[in-house]
Amino acid sequence: MSYRYKGTNPSPFRHPILWLMQRKGYWRFRRRVRRLLFAILPDRFKGSVRRVFHHSQWYAASTTTSDWNLKHARVVKKTAHHMAMAEKSDSFQSLILLPNLDQSQLPTVFDNYPLPAQPLHRADVICFSIVDWETRYQRPQQLMSQFAAHGHRVFYISTSRFQPAFMSSRTSVRMIKENVYEISLAVQHPPDVYGEAIDGDNQAAILASLDELRQTFQIDEVISYVMIASWGNVALETQKQWGWRIIYDCMDEWENFPGIGLPVLNLEKRLVQACDLLVVTAQRLYEKWHDRQHLTVLARNATDYHFYSEHCLPNNILGEVKHPVVGYYGAIAEWFDVELMAYVAASRPQYTFVLLGGVFDVNVSSLEALPNVRLLGQQPYETMPKYLYHFDVCIIPFKINPITEATDPVKLYEYFSGGKPVVSVALPEVEQYREYVYLATDKEDFAAKLDVAIAENNPEQASRRRALAQQHTWEARFQQIIVGLTEVIPRASIIIVTYNNLALNKLCLESIIRNTQYLNYEVIIVDNNSTDETPAFLRHMADLHPNISIILNSTNYGFARANNQGIAQSVGEYLVLLNNDTIVPPGWLSRLLRHLQNPAIGMVGPVTNFVGNEAKIEVPYQTWDEMEDFAQEHTWANDGLVADIHMLAMFCVAMRRNTYDLVGPLDEQFGIGMFEDDDYARRVKQKGLRMICAADVFVHHFGQAAFKKLIETGHYDGLFNQNRQRYEAKWNVKWMPRGHAPVSFKRM
């Protein structure tokens, strides 16, 4: 990936690596040095070389996003996750593709670097947040941290820091931690995310900022994670313009919630119906939106169990406090029952009550007056397990009202992580854990249950609470959400026909697994009776990856029939026919399918380095790594540009299933192959549909892999002429080669 910078040069003294990266030819020189070192050094030194190159690149990314305005930084295009995994498959990165595949490198590639078990590139997350990152570390930060830990770049929108709309650079970026970046967007006026629905000039300014962000960071596949409905108009427009998938995380009952404006409530109703996936945190919210026609996932709150178990250890943070200690942490806000708390603390002077959390628009003077109550204010999240260690009993002293009846307290799962007894008011979401919790019906009962909880001396009960907490982790909630999102995204079925050429088959599948960011796809491989190790390799891949299935033919049925077989077995709403002699770069599938949102388009294909018509473009790369760099630069420079084309060679084409149903299967009279793509092009156009070549999609194509032996034996020309005659007879035309005449690319 190119990390060259646009704009003012960094200082060679303050940022020497960044300054060096600016020098002309740096990246090509860097790749050549790396390849040279790998060629001459013994194997025991190669790991050190990888680490040096990896850390220098990550240093550049992290320093730049912290210190440089977005306008001057083309960076963070590969996350630490990307680079760490690339380290493991460096031989693929340095594999020479052009002018010919370097066969001498293949044994090293295949012997030392197995295919990845997970993607190297994943969808990016744009978090339309509800609080700034440094605010109380709860659901927003926990879920976004899970996305980041699973390899997604997370761009977390600040709710308090914005750019003036007149600034030349509309977005600034600050690294929060690995794979998480806070972004400040340009606005006409700072919005109130609780009180107003963002629209008008502010919406336009924010959309322009996001457009700058996606182009600068080359964002192809996006999950828009909306945490409060005030962002709804913006998110829905990104869905319309760029195909971003929307998750709306409805984490509270916002009606009658302090500070929530009526425009936000009205927009929430629209967002609930239009989002791709609705996530709710409580059963009451699930029931509230029961009339929604699409999938809703109940993903309650949770705990970072490992964090708590590792840090809930002996410490001196409350060393001087008299026991028993009754502890609470969380916001002390409108839903916190101050009257209940004051009664219980006054009636139990022998207990020390430690209350951690910011106080928001609540009069706590009655608590401050009590000598056994300590209000310690907002404390860092990192200290919570330390405080929890000293709590003898934990409490949830909330009011019972429509807001709390739809609340699943995060603190409950965190209390359980320490195995602590919990006394709570009878919240509906807590009721399901009544065998683990002491539920109180009124203030007298709360005090009485507190006495019982403090007297508890049951290690088994503490272990049961910890075991329950282990079942309710943020990792588990993340997986729930991802599974739900995958279900609602239309599946794409990638059909690949193989016949021998084991090396190419491996490279093709390697590229699909590592570079496909689209969230719901399957691969169906139809093997036409290969006689090399391909069938065994395909069985292994099908065992390893649940989204890969295979069909092993006992004879060579040819290209058309094998593709028809694969399509018949597929279930996707989109169909992609992909040759086994291709290598796909990041973003390839997302970009192809985006063009099919236009119902007038019947079929779309990419530009490439090798094809017999106008889709061929000149390329400067030699290695796989350089190919991916080129593909990213080329596709973003041509973002949204397409051209109508007379035919699409089927080394890589995509269509909707309803197009295939309308046009029919590939014509199997063309046998082993050739001219079935010319034939299909005519049939698609005959149905009044367009065929387009997308300049913003690139796929590397080795070319003629299946026909190489036919060419060598001299049988190719005979097969070509035979199928040409079949094509001409079917359509009553004279076939003429098109060559590489330039076409005019423009926006649809």
Side-chain angles (χ1 to χ4, degrees):
M1 182 58 55
S2 171
Y3 288 82
R4 292 187 295 276
Y5 295 88
K6 318 280 185 173
T8 308
N9 286 337
S11 164
F13 304 104
R14 185 180 177 194
H15 297 301
I17 294 180
L18 301 185
W19 178 84
L20 181 62
M21 290 165 65
Q22 275 280 53
R23 304 308 97 196
K24 183 177 180 181
Y26 166 78
W27 287 97
R28 184 174 295 276
F29 173 74
R30 184 179 188 273
R31 285 191 291 266
R32 288 176 177 172
V33 169
R34 185 175 65 180
R35 287 200 297 270
L36 177 63
L37 291 174
F38 268 85
I40 65 176
L41 289 176
D43 288 344
R44 66 180 182 274
F45 294 121
K46 291 180 180 178
S48 299
V49 171
R50 289 193 194 96
R51 284 190 289 275
V52 168
F53 279 91
H54 161 66
H55 289 305
S56 68
Q57 193 161 322
W58 177 241
Y59 164 83
S62 59
T63 304
T64 304
T65 51
S66 300
D67 297 348
W68 284 79
N69 186 281
L70 184 64
K71 179 180 179 181
H72 303 307
R74 301 275 174 170
V75 75
V76 199
K77 294 175 185 174
K78 293 179 179 175
T79 67
H81 167 79
H82 296 166
M83 288 184 281
M85 288 191 67
E87 214 177 302
K88 298 178 182 178
S89 55
D90 193 81
S91 289
F92 285 108
Q93 292 286 310
S94 59
L95 183 66
I96 296 174
L97 307 180
L98 291 177
N100 296 295
L101 179 64
D102 187 348
Q103 298 288 332
S104 66
Q105 288 183 274
L106 296 182
T108 303
V109 171
F110 298 145
D111 293 344
N112 299 334
Y113 298 93
L115 295 179
Q118 59 180 320
L120 184 62
H121 299 271
R122 294 185 185 270
D124 293 311
V125 179
I126 308 293
C127 180
F128 294 87
S129 60
I130 189 171
V131 293
D132 281 343
W133 187 270
E134 64 271 16
T135 312
R136 293 185 310 279
Y137 197 88
Q138 290 191 318
R139 184 181 182 92
Q141 296 91 338
Q142 294 280 14
L143 285 176
M144 292 304 104
S145 294
Q146 284 296 323
F147 275 101
H150 286 80
H152 300 265
R153 290 185 303 183
V154 175
F155 296 93
Y156 191 92
I157 301 175
S158 172
T159 61
S160 68
R161 291 179 282 274
F162 295 94
Q163 300 282 101
F166 59 80
M167 294 286 287
S168 57
S169 178
R170 308 187 65 86
T171 312
S172 67
V173 174
R174 176 180 70 90
M175 177 180 287
I176 295 173
K177 62 179 182 177
E178 183 178 307
N179 289 356
V180 180
Y181 308 92
E182 180 191 76
I183 57 175
S184 300
L185 305 178
V187 294
Q188 292 293 337
H189 65 270
D192 173 7
V193 297
Y194 289 92
E196 66 176 278
I198 299 171
D199 56 13
D201 291 343
N202 251 9
Q203 177 183 337
I206 289 171
L207 286 168
S209 299
L210 293 173
D211 191 25
E212 179 183 275
L213 182 81
R214 75 182 191 92
Q215 293 188 52
T216 302
F217 289 93
Q218 299 183 344
I219 297 172
D220 290 309
E221 184 73 30
V222 172
I223 301 168
S224 290
Y225 205 104
V226 181
M227 293 184 166
I228 189 165
S230 51
W231 296 104
N233 290 324
V234 177
L236 290 171
E237 192 60 30
T238 66
Q239 184 189 56
K240 178 182 175 182
Q241 288 190 24
W242 306 314
W244 292 7
R245 314 288 178 181
I246 300 176
I247 297 176
Y248 173 45
D249 193 332
C250 180
M251 60 184 73
D252 279 297
E253 172 54 83
W254 295 114
E255 292 185 33
N256 302 314
F257 200 96
I260 297 296
L262 182 60
V264 178
L265 296 177
N266 291 334
L267 183 54
E268 182 183 40
K269 297 174 184 176
R270 180 179 165 217
L271 182 60
V272 162
Q273 298 302 328
C275 66
D276 295 283
L277 179 69
L278 176 64
V279 175
V280 295
T281 59
Q283 184 65 33
R284 292 291 176 95
L285 296 172
Y286 191 89
E287 294 167 359
K288 175 182 178 179
W289 303 115
H290 74 278
D291 62 340
R292 173 179 151 84
Q293 296 180 353
H294 306 292
L295 180 64
T296 299
V297 170
L298 173 56
R300 292 183 167 94
N301 288 316
T303 180
D304 185 345
Y305 180 80
H306 293 295
F307 171 73
Y308 271 84
S309 62
E310 291 172 2
H311 295 88
C312 189
L313 300 171
N315 63 82
N316 297 318
I317 203 166
L318 286 178
E320 79 290 359
V321 172
K322 179 184 175 182
H323 285 258
V325 174
V326 178
Y328 168 89
Y329 51 74
I332 301 175
E334 190 272 339
W335 51 84
F336 184 94
D337 196 335
V338 175
E339 182 181 346
L340 167 65
M341 193 72 258
Y343 170 83
V344 173
S347 66
R348 299 296 186 272
Q350 69 273 33
Y351 305 155
T352 302
F353 292 81
V354 175
L355 309 181
L356 306 169
V359 178
F360 301 93
D361 300 322
V362 175
N363 184 354
V364 294
S365 58
S366 60
L367 297 175
E368 292 172 329
L370 294 170
N372 62 331
V373 175
R374 297 197 176 195
L375 289 160
L376 300 186
Q378 185 74 36
Q379 299 295 320
Y381 173 72
E382 290 73 21
T383 64
M384 292 300 102
K386 296 180 181 179
Y387 283 105
L388 183 63
Y389 173 80
H390 294 280
F391 293 172
D392 296 295
V393 174
C394 303
I395 55 173
I396 303 177
F398 285 177
K399 298 175 182 177
I400 303 291
N401 58 33
I403 294 174
T404 58
E405 286 176 340
T407 297
D408 183 51
V410 176
K411 59 185 63 59
L412 178 66
Y413 304 101
E414 294 173 343
Y415 293 163
F416 284 163
S417 295
K420 302 293 181 175
V422 179
V423 179
S424 174
V425 298
L427 298 173
E429 285 297 313
V430 180
E431 287 271 4
Q432 62 186 311
Y433 305 119
R434 62 169 45 254
E435 60 181 293
Y436 302 89
V437 183
Y438 297 94
L439 291 175
T441 56
D442 55 33
K443 59 185 181 182
E444 292 82 7
D445 191 34
F446 199 103
K449 292 286 172 54
L450 198 56
D451 295 335
V452 176
I454 285 177
E456 180 187 297
N457 184 20
N458 187 346
E460 182 182 348
Q461 184 73 336
S463 296
R464 290 180 66 236
R465 293 189 186 106
R466 291 190 184 95
L468 182 66
Q470 284 182 284
Q471 299 172 26
H472 296 276
T473 64
W474 290 112
E475 160 77 15
R477 301 299 190 245
F478 165 80
Q479 294 297 343
Q480 272 186 278
I481 293 168
I482 284 296
V483 168
L485 183 61
T486 301
E487 286 183 23
V488 300
I489 291 176
R491 174 166 288 196
S493 298
I494 303 170
I495 316 299
I496 302 174
V497 176
T498 59
Y499 176 67
N500 294 327
N501 288 308
L502 176 63
L504 295 180
N505 299 333
K506 287 185 173 182
L507 294 178
C508 180
L509 285 177
E510 158 78 14
S511 71
I512 292 172
I513 294 167
R514 68 187 287 164
N515 288 335
T516 302
Q517 298 161 301
Y518 191 76
L519 292 161
N520 187 8
Y521 74 94
E522 64 176 352
V523 180
I524 299 174
I525 307 168
V526 185
D527 183 73
N528 269 331
N529 196 30
S530 292
T531 56
D532 59 5
E533 296 177 31
T534 293
F537 166 69
L538 296 181
R539 291 189 190 97
H540 168 72
M541 294 303 295
D543 290 340
L544 191 63
H545 297 275
N547 65 331
I548 294 179
S549 59
I550 61 174
I551 300 172
L552 301 178
N553 289 328
S554 58
T555 189
N556 188 346
Y557 287 130
F559 182 81
R561 183 172 177 182
N563 272 293
N564 290 337
Q565 280 183 285
I567 293 171
Q569 182 171 305
S570 69
V571 297
E573 293 182 36
Y574 298 108
L575 302 173
V576 180
L577 307 187
L578 184 69
N579 274 13
N580 65 330
D581 63 341
T582 57
I583 295 178
V584 295
W588 74 284
L589 184 56
S590 301
R591 286 179 163 273
L592 270 180
L593 300 187
R594 196 169 304 149
H595 292 293
L596 293 177
Q597 300 308 306
N598 183 342
I601 293 174
M603 188 179 288
V604 58
V607 293
T608 185
N609 60 291
F610 182 91
V611 73
N613 65 5
E614 303 93 325
K616 180 180 178 180
I617 61 173
E618 294 300 318
V619 298
Y621 61 81
Q622 288 184 303
T623 66
W624 183 319
D625 191 34
E626 292 168 347
M627 182 274 290
E628 290 191 358
D629 287 356
F630 166 77
Q632 289 289 80
E633 297 296 338
H634 176 85
T635 56
W636 278 96
N638 292 277
D639 189 35
L641 298 182
V642 301
D644 287 286
I645 193 167
H646 81 288
M647 68 85 68
L648 289 169
M650 285 185 167
F651 74 93
C652 178
V653 294
M655 60 183 137
R656 295 179 296 276
R657 180 173 291 275
N658 59 17
T659 298
Y660 180 81
D661 292 339
L662 178 68
V663 177
L666 278 67
D667 191 338
E668 297 178 9
Q669 73 165 313
F670 295 104
I672 296 298
M674 287 190 287
F675 285 92
E676 63 282 315
D677 41 16
D678 293 84
D679 173 73
Y680 212 79
R682 279 188 171 270
R683 292 162 61 192
V684 169
K685 291 181 179 180
Q686 197 176 54
K687 298 297 183 181
L689 297 170
R690 292 173 61 191
M691 299 193 66
I692 63 166
C693 177
D696 61 359
V697 189
F698 179 86
V699 169
H700 175 81
H701 184 207
F702 289 107
Q704 295 186 331
F707 295 115
K708 184 177 180 181
K709 289 187 177 179
L710 292 176
I711 295 172
E712 292 172 351
T713 60
H715 291 91
Y716 178 86
D717 289 341
L719 179 61
F720 178 90
N721 291 329
Q722 185 180 58
N723 278 353
R724 176 176 58 80
Q725 291 169 9
R726 287 173 175 155
Y727 171 81
E728 291 176 342
K730 178 177 180 178
W731 293 101
N732 193 27
V733 295
K734 178 70 174 177
W735 180 84
M736 296 293 292
R738 297 281 299 191
H740 303 124
V743 293
S744 177
F745 290 96
K746 57 186 178 181
R747 299 196 181 279
M748 289 195 296

